[in-house]
Amino acid sequence: MPYVARDDHGQITEVQERETEAAYEQVALDDPELVSFLNEGLGQSRIREELEASDLEFIRVIEDVIAVLIDKRVFMLTDLPAAAQDKLARRYNLRSKLSDLGGIVADHEDIMLP
């Protein structure tokens, strides 16, 4: 059976396999409060949220890598499948609208800024 530590409000804050100075209360493995802590208290939902946020950030990294590879002529944009080309072109177009040249570049879809 695990040992738990609690905060001033009686909420589980830590789970240990062995008794420690902070985690001295032993609880059953099927204790509802322990199960809830393990499912959510450890931050699984927070971890999922952080992973999703990092996915969005990582998309930009991938875009930058693709731009560098194209700039260095490691491969051409046309080497990618048509669907990938369309998605990149759409993102480049949207990103260009946010840049200082927004209106000028947006009028010329053949211009793609990284």
Side-chain angles (χ1 to χ4, degrees):
M1 291 200 317
Y3 292 85
V4 299
R6 295 183 183 272
D7 64 14
D8 294 338
H9 303 289
Q11 301 295 314
I12 294 175
T13 59
E14 181 181 333
V15 179
Q16 297 292 330
E17 185 177 348
R18 292 175 179 55
E19 185 175 4
T20 67
E21 187 175 317
Y24 53 84
E25 178 187 346
Q26 199 170 25
V27 297
L29 283 172
D30 62 349
D31 179 274
E33 193 175 0
L34 176 62
V35 171
S36 175
F37 176 80
L38 292 174
N39 286 334
E40 296 176 28
L42 285 176
Q44 287 186 16
S45 61
R46 191 189 87 242
I47 291 169
R48 284 188 191 101
E49 289 172 7
E50 286 185 33
L51 276 173
E52 288 174 10
S54 74
D55 286 348
L56 296 175
E57 294 168 358
F58 198 68
I59 289 169
R60 181 56 199 251
V61 171
I62 292 171
E63 283 180 52
D64 291 345
V65 168
I66 290 170
V68 167
L69 293 173
I70 290 171
D71 289 347
K72 292 187 177 272
R73 303 201 185 279
V74 173
F75 71 89
M76 304 277 293
L77 181 64
T78 54
D79 292 338
L80 296 171
Q85 291 179 44
D86 292 343
K87 289 175 185 165
L88 281 169
R90 187 171 49 244
R91 289 189 63 84
Y92 288 154
N93 190 326
L94 290 170
R95 193 169 318 287
S96 73
K97 289 179 182 178
L98 294 176
S99 73
D100 293 336
L101 301 175
I104 297 169
V105 175
D107 293 340
H108 302 283
E109 293 184 6
D110 55 326
I111 300 174
M112 293 192 326
L113 297 178

